[in-house]
Amino acid sequence: MKKFTYTESKDTRSGFGAGLLEAGKTNDNVVALCADLIGSLKMNDFINEFPERFFQIGIAEANMMGIAAGLTIGGKIPFTGTFANFSTGRVYDQIRQSIAYSDKNVKICASHAGLTLGEDGATHQILEDIGLMKMLPGMTVINPCDFNQTKAATIALASHIGPAYLRFGRPVVPNFTPADQKFEIGKAVLLNEGKDVTIIATGHLVWEAIKAGEELEKLGIDAEIINIHTIKPLDTEAILKSVVKTGCVVTAEEHNRLGGLGDSVAQVLAQKLPTPQEYVAVNDSFGESGTPAQLMEKYGLTASSIVAAARKAISRK
């Protein structure tokens, strides 16, 4: 098992803030909009550097999406910012009609996704957003795993043409990917080669997958671990290449098991290579109030859950 180390833990939303600033420095058309959550979205540095390219919309998320769509007509590249719940569920009609259907070059950037929003509870924890967004024709869906990857993804989206959804979170997590990484939209990252089971993880669950791989190694199980940062378009080639070798797969995500990464992988396998698959995800329920660690444990989104799923998948070969 390849060893991964880190020197600090940082929140992925700060990676977005850092990436937005860099994108703004390299492209004058990059603009930012926020729905009264500047601090939570870490947009302060961009605003301080480019005050004339920032628009505070207030608590009017639907209006923010419409304004963002309009800005693209003049050649601007708008990055919208609010919580994932408000970035998708609250404004789905506006995204569908004004952005996706019209193929507008809007980057919908969503913080506080999943359960790890924590104590704010189920009304703010959206576990359906990946499913909502990946169903929209032409929508790119990205869910990076740490600060560095979120920063790189944000910068990459400034050059990407077309609507996109960028999902990130509130808690600090290990920052282990390279600071100078090249982020390729739609290209999975192979973290560890293995022969017994494929573990495909996204977002905060990538680090849990790495820890699970270390535990599985102690049990004599060789896990192949793949970081799927882009859920749409999905890197089907990487998935099939791995599963041909291992013969079983575990998908891990901080999302409802219905409609997320696991379903996308299952669709590929059903069409190309029927394979035993186990899900590590929230099992068709809403969340609740609690610390991020408590919620990850209660809803089975930990390394130990991935280990158990891997052993079950292997037993089904």
Side-chain angles (χ1 to χ4, degrees):
M1 174 71 190
K2 183 180 177 181
K3 302 302 178 185
F4 290 85
T5 59
Y6 63 96
T7 58
E8 61 181 345
S9 292
K10 302 176 77 172
D11 51 321
T12 50
R13 59 179 173 155
S14 289
F16 164 69
L20 181 64
L21 177 62
E22 290 303 311
K25 289 178 178 179
T26 58
N27 192 326
D28 292 341
N29 283 321
V30 169
V31 298
L33 302 84
C34 191
D36 203 31
L37 287 168
I38 292 171
S40 294
L41 270 291
K42 303 299 182 181
M43 288 180 159
N44 303 77
D45 290 342
F46 180 91
I47 296 168
N48 291 336
E49 187 79 14
F50 309 109
E52 75 286 356
R53 287 156 58 186
F54 173 75
F55 303 90
Q56 173 60 275
I57 309 303
I59 307 175
E61 294 86 356
N63 193 36
M64 179 171 69
M65 295 303 170
I67 293 171
L71 284 165
T72 66
I73 297 172
K76 301 303 179 184
I77 306 169
F79 285 70
T80 68
T82 185
F83 289 178
N85 194 15
F86 309 143
S87 288
T88 57
R90 176 169 289 185
V91 294
Y92 197 67
D93 180 59
Q94 284 73 29
I95 292 173
R96 182 183 186 275
Q97 305 289 51
S98 298
I99 296 175
Y101 176 70
S102 303
D103 195 31
K104 294 294 191 293
N105 192 29
V106 176
K107 316 308 172 187
I108 302 164
C109 304
S111 183
H112 293 55
L115 286 174
T116 49
L117 168 56
E119 292 84 350
D120 285 357
T123 57
H124 283 53
Q125 298 160 348
I126 191 161
L127 297 165
E128 314 88 59
D129 56 316
I130 290 174
L132 287 169
M133 301 307 284
K134 77 176 188 179
M135 285 191 296
L136 291 170
M139 181 69 68
T140 294
V141 179
I142 297 175
N143 188 39
C145 67
D146 68 0
F147 173 95
N148 285 339
Q149 193 168 77
T150 308
K151 179 180 177 180
T154 306
I155 295 169
L157 279 177
S159 301
H160 172 77
I161 304 300
Y165 179 61
L166 179 64
R167 183 191 207 244
F168 42 92
R170 176 186 187 184
V172 295
V173 293
N175 187 33
F176 66 95
T177 66
D180 60 350
Q181 65 189 275
K182 179 183 178 182
F183 189 91
E184 295 184 63
I185 294 173
K187 187 68 173 177
V189 179
L190 178 62
L191 297 177
N192 188 69
E193 292 192 42
K195 65 180 187 302
D196 298 325
V197 59
T198 298
I199 301 174
I200 301 173
T202 188
H204 293 149
L205 269 291
V206 173
W207 184 253
E208 296 299 319
I210 290 170
K211 293 195 295 182
E214 294 172 348
E215 291 302 312
L216 287 166
E217 184 179 42
K218 296 175 184 177
L219 299 172
I221 297 172
D222 188 16
E224 183 143 300
I225 302 172
I226 300 174
N227 171 9
I228 294 282
H229 53 65
T230 306
I231 296 172
K232 183 186 177 186
L234 190 66
D235 192 344
T236 58
E237 181 180 351
I239 293 167
L240 293 170
K241 181 179 178 181
S242 178
V243 173
V244 163
K245 177 170 53 172
T246 64
C248 63
V249 62
V250 172
T251 52
E253 59 191 310
E254 188 186 346
H255 189 269
N256 193 335
R257 65 173 291 167
L258 304 175
L261 170 65
D263 274 5
S264 290
V265 171
Q267 186 178 112
V268 171
L269 297 179
Q271 291 178 319
K272 303 289 187 179
L273 185 68
T275 305
Q277 177 179 344
E278 294 294 328
Y279 290 70
V280 173
V282 177
N283 190 20
D284 194 23
S285 73
F286 291 101
E288 61 185 287
S289 183
T291 67
Q294 288 172 333
L295 295 169
M296 294 285 275
E297 181 69 33
K298 177 171 181 177
Y299 289 87
L301 305 181
T302 61
S304 61
S305 299
I306 297 173
V307 169
R311 298 181 73 178
K312 185 175 181 181
I314 291 169
S315 73
R316 294 175 54 205
K317 284 203 259 185

